[in-house]
């Protein structure tokens, strides 16, 4: 037998490696998510598929990206067993269309494989249909306020900021169950720069705290903080998440502190039933999950609100199924507490139910929506809200921003006595506001004929949960 030459040995002794093995460690351990966006398979929806090594809060990060782009999530399936995260979203844009290439590119940049190696493109986020939100975290000072609400409080806060020589660049406020949470971005009135002087910030905090505590109710739960939101790029969804957290800390889920019931009684019984939110929790003993089921009126950002609340309450979502049909939404989450245990006590289940109901209700405003656009000037917002207050209207939600020389604002208002606001009354009130472009919108829609789904999406999901949990192997 002849011996092979060294050259031949080099040719036959090197093992063959499939090229796909080169990125196997990256596929197993990260660096981040892999995103596949299918714009062809479904006729009416774009399908966004995400898979990644799992971590707590990852689902919320993905939902935040979609929410910042004003995408409506019509269906979603989620699984994160075996340390791997898989998610499928069926989405449309804000106009009800499939996604265009620019949006697809942003999603890839924001949650795809380039996420850790380069900065994601900034999302264009919206308060309403006609203006966008910018990142004010580095240019302006953030002020957080929370406490017991009362008619005219938001107007008083804006007036106090004007008295303190502060320019209001952007502000967002939610009122729910007689509690108010507000995040505002301010600058110095004379220089338009952020306010960093500790003494002046302390003066602003003291003054606003006095305003908020003027009602005398629950002084220990009322708080003002300044200095900005630390450690995050400020986007609309981050602000909304902070509003959720502030109201949760005020225990708005317990209902109005001074009255066991709310509402004016002007809503018909059928309409009230249509609006009703139903949250229930049962345990899946064989897999150690608690199953949270939600049925409610569908609306934009609903999934963000529920996922945000469960995440901030320290629950891990292992599986979920989300669906909607004829303006009605169905959501089921398979969760455990972050310590690994299911919800074992009735008191814990009751608290989660109440917190989810509150999270769903916070964004739903029954008031009349006023959209105002005017030349920006010092004290404009204070003057607008003063006119509203003097005409017997109270602000239950506000989204305020400035765009160059323009101030663009959206207020949800209702009568202080609980009655519906007359649009003719608003038209008369416009004369007091001078050169302000005011548009009246009513976001409340009457119940329409709808067909309830004869089956729960989650029923199908639960029947397959054991197979998914036992057989799924990441590839």
């Amino acid at each position: 037998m002849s011996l092979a030459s060294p050259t031949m040995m080099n040719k036959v002794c090197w093992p063959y490696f499939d090229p796909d093995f080169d990125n196997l460690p990256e596929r197993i351990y990260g660096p981040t998510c892999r995103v596949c966006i299918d714009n062809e398979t479904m006729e009416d929806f774009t399908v966004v598929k995400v898979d990644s090594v799992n971590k707590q809060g990852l689902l919320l990060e993905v939902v935040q990206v979609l929410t910042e782009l004003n995408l409506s999530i019509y269906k979603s399936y989620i699984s994160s067993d075996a340390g791997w995260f898989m998610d499928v979203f069926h989405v449309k844009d804000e106009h009800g269309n499939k996604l265009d290439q620019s949006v697809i590119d942003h999603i890839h940049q924001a949650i795809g494989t380039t996420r850790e190696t380069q900065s994601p493109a900034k999302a264009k986020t919206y308060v309403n249909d006609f203006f966008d939100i910018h990142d004010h975290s580095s240019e302006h000072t953030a002020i957080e306020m929370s406490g017991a609400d009362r008619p005219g409080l938001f107007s008083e806060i804006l007036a106090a900021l004007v008295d303190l020589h502060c320019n209001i660049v952007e502000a967002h406020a939610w009122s729910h169950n007689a509690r108010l949470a507000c995040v505002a971005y301010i600058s110095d009135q004379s220089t338009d720069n952020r306010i960093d002087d500790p003494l002046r910030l302390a003066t602003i905090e003291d003054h606003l705290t006095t305003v908020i505590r003027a009602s005398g109710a629950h002084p220990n739960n009322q708080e003002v903080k300044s200095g900005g939101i630390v450690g995050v790029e400020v986007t609309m969804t981050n602000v909304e998440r902070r509003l959720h957290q502030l109201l949760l800390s005020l225990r708005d889920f317990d209902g109005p502190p001074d009255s066991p019931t709310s509402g004016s009684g002007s809503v018909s019984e059928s309409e009230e039933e249509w609006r009703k939110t139903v949250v229930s929790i049962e345990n899946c003993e064989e897999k150690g999950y608690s199953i949270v089921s939600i049925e409610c009126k569908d609306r934009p950002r609903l999934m963000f609100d529920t996922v945000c609340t469960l995440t901030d309450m320290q629950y891990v979502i292992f599986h979920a199924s989300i669906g909607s049909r004829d303006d009605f939404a169905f959501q089921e989450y398979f969760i455990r507490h972050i310590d690994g245990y299911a919800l074992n006590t009735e008191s814990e289940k009751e608290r989660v139910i109440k917190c989810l109901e509150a999270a769903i209700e916070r964004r739903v405003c029954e008031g009349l929506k006023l959209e105002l656009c005017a030349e920006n000037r010092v004290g404009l917002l204070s003057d607008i809200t003063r006119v509203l207050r003097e005409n017997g209207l109270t602000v239950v939600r506000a989204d305020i921003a400035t765009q160059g020389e323009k101030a663009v604002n959206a207020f949800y208002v209702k009568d202080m006595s609980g009655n519906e606001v007359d649009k003719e009354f608003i038209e008369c009130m416009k004369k007091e506001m001078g050169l302000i472009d005011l548009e009246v919108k009513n976001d409340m829609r009457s119940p329409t004929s709808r067909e309830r789904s004869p089956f729960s999406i989650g029923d199908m999901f639960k029947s397959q949960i054991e197979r998914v949990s036992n057989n799924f192997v990441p590839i």
Side-chain angles (χ1 to χ4, degrees):
M1 181 177 68
S2 62
L3 295 176
S5 67
T7 302
M8 292 178 60
M9 291 181 64
N10 287 338
K11 290 183 178 179
V12 298
C13 292
W14 290 108
Y16 170 76
F17 289 99
D18 190 297
D20 286 344
F21 279 85
D22 290 342
N23 62 352
L24 184 60
E26 179 176 309
R27 293 171 63 192
I28 296 176
Y29 301 110
T32 57
C33 316
R34 285 181 292 152
V35 181
C36 175
I37 300 179
D38 180 358
N39 222 5
E40 304 297 332
T41 302
M42 304 290 292
E43 181 179 355
D44 299 323
F45 301 96
T46 299
V47 181
V48 179
K49 302 177 182 178
V50 182
D51 63 277
S52 168
V53 173
N54 194 28
K55 66 175 183 178
Q56 170 64 347
L58 177 59
L59 174 60
L60 179 57
E61 291 180 20
V62 175
V63 173
Q64 277 192 181
V65 170
L66 301 180
T67 302
E68 286 171 5
L69 291 164
N70 255 11
L71 304 185
S72 296
I73 301 171
Y74 289 85
K75 187 183 295 185
S76 180
Y77 298 100
I78 299 155
S79 180
S80 62
D81 265 354
W84 196 261
F85 172 88
M86 292 195 308
D87 203 349
V88 179
F89 298 95
H90 292 205
V91 301
K92 293 181 181 180
D93 67 15
E94 59 185 323
H95 304 296
N97 302 319
K98 297 167 72 171
L99 307 189
D100 62 31
Q101 192 58 46
S102 63
V103 176
I104 290 173
D105 290 343
H106 170 78
I107 295 173
H108 276 296
Q109 288 182 309
I111 57 177
T113 54
T114 61
R115 186 174 179 185
E116 288 190 352
T117 58
Q118 64 186 62
S119 299
K122 290 187 179 181
K124 186 178 183 182
T125 55
Y126 297 83
V127 171
N128 53 46
D129 293 335
F130 59 94
F131 68 88
D132 58 337
I133 295 301
H134 304 283
D135 178 10
H136 296 296
S137 58
S138 60
E139 301 174 2
H140 305 98
T141 302
I143 302 285
E144 294 180 355
M145 294 155 278
S146 59
D149 195 16
R150 65 178 184 272
L153 176 58
F154 185 65
S155 176
E156 294 176 32
I157 289 172
L158 297 181
L161 288 171
V162 172
D163 291 341
L164 292 163
H165 306 290
C166 298
N167 179 40
I168 303 165
V169 181
E170 182 183 326
H172 306 279
W174 287 358
S175 176
H176 181 247
N177 280 343
R179 280 87 161 178
L180 175 73
C182 178
V183 177
Y185 293 91
I186 63 173
S187 62
D188 181 77
Q189 198 175 92
S190 58
T191 65
D192 203 29
N193 295 327
R194 63 176 290 137
I195 301 170
D196 292 318
D197 179 22
L199 293 178
R200 187 175 179 191
L201 289 175
T203 301
I204 293 172
E205 290 182 20
D206 290 343
H207 195 137
L208 291 174
T209 300
T210 300
V211 171
I212 293 175
R213 289 182 176 177
S215 63
H218 305 282
N220 294 330
N221 288 334
Q222 301 180 8
E223 188 172 27
V224 177
K225 289 184 178 180
S226 65
I229 300 175
V230 179
V232 297
E233 179 182 286
V234 176
T235 62
M236 186 58 198
T237 49
N238 282 328
V239 172
E240 291 176 343
R241 183 178 183 183
R242 190 63 188 136
L243 292 171
H244 275 301
Q245 292 170 341
L246 290 171
L247 286 171
L248 182 65
S249 69
L250 291 174
R251 299 182 63 87
D252 69 322
F253 53 85
D254 282 337
D258 298 324
S259 60
T261 60
S262 60
S264 61
S266 60
V267 179
S268 68
E269 183 177 345
S270 62
E271 189 172 348
E272 186 66 34
E273 178 65 24
W274 176 69
R275 285 207 212 104
K276 189 175 181 182
T277 297
V278 178
V279 182
S280 61
I281 299 177
E282 59 180 291
N283 284 345
C284 179
E285 301 291 348
E286 62 273 18
K287 302 301 294 184
Y289 297 124
S290 291
I291 306 172
V292 179
S293 302
I294 301 172
E295 296 185 17
C296 65
K297 179 177 178 279
D298 196 18
R299 59 167 175 76
R301 299 177 181 252
L302 176 62
M303 187 176 181
F304 170 80
D305 293 337
T306 52
V307 172
C308 171
T309 299
L310 289 171
T311 302
D312 286 336
M313 292 181 71
Q314 300 295 300
Y315 291 100
V316 180
I317 299 172
F318 288 87
H319 306 279
S321 62
I322 312 296
S324 63
R325 183 172 182 178
D326 297 325
D327 290 330
F328 213 75
F330 306 87
Q331 300 185 348
E332 286 191 307
Y333 297 102
F334 290 71
I335 68 170
R336 296 187 188 122
H337 193 268
I338 199 168
D339 61 12
Y341 293 97
L343 285 68
N344 294 319
T345 65
E346 291 302 316
S347 60
E348 185 180 12
K349 291 180 181 179
E350 181 180 357
R351 184 173 185 272
V352 172
I353 289 172
K354 291 169 69 175
C355 288
L356 285 171
E357 289 174 343
I360 294 168
E361 293 168 0
R362 285 172 195 145
R363 198 187 294 273
V364 179
C365 293
E366 299 181 5
L368 197 68
K369 183 178 181 181
L370 306 180
E371 294 179 348
L372 303 97
C373 182
E375 291 293 328
N376 193 27
R377 59 173 174 81
V378 174
L380 173 65
L381 294 174
S382 176
D383 291 343
I384 291 174
T385 54
R386 175 184 54 79
V387 171
L388 294 175
R389 184 180 74 238
E390 291 175 352
N391 282 274
L393 303 180
T394 183
V395 177
V396 294
R397 176 179 159 189
D399 293 303
I400 296 165
T402 56
Q403 290 184 336
E405 299 299 320
K406 290 286 185 181
V408 191
N409 314 302
F411 297 100
Y412 289 80
V413 299
K414 62 181 180 181
D415 193 299
M416 293 184 184
S417 61
N419 298 320
E420 292 185 7
V421 180
D422 188 349
K423 290 187 178 182
E424 293 183 3
F425 173 74
I426 296 293
E427 293 297 322
C428 294
M429 190 182 66
K430 287 173 62 175
K431 298 178 182 179
E432 298 183 50
M433 295 187 174
L435 299 176
I436 293 177
D437 180 14
L438 185 151
E439 184 176 353
V440 181
K441 292 186 176 182
N442 192 345
D443 280 4
M444 289 295 296
R445 292 177 296 171
S446 299
T448 56
S449 175
R450 68 182 189 283
E451 179 185 358
R452 290 288 297 274
S453 176
F455 58 90
S456 167
I457 295 174
D459 289 342
M460 296 188 298
F461 187 77
K462 279 187 284 187
S463 68
Q464 301 178 19
I465 192 69
E466 186 170 349
R467 177 181 61 80
V468 171
S469 300
N470 293 335
N471 296 340
F472 171 64
V473 178
I475 58 173

